Amino acid sequence: MPLTDTASLGTTYNHTRFIATRRKMMQDWSDELDKLKLTG
């Protein structure tokens, strides 16, 4: 029997796998909100 939970390791891997894509998506969304804030 393994000492670690492979499911939780897989979940951790998936969180870090797409971090660059998520970062860009969140920055794009933030920029859109800033535009809305400036234009009213």
Side-chain angles (χ1 to χ4, degrees):
M1 187 160 132
L3 296 175
T4 58
D5 181 6
T6 56
S8 65
L9 291 175
T11 302
T12 301
Y13 172 76
N14 286 338
H15 283 291
T16 60
R17 184 175 177 191
F18 300 106
I19 193 74
T21 304
R22 286 186 191 150
R23 186 175 289 133
K24 181 177 180 344
M25 178 187 67
M26 294 305 292
Q27 185 60 57
D28 290 346
W29 180 241
S30 177
D31 294 344
E32 287 298 317
L33 292 176
D34 286 343
K35 286 179 196 174
L36 286 173
K37 191 169 148 183
L38 290 174
T39 60

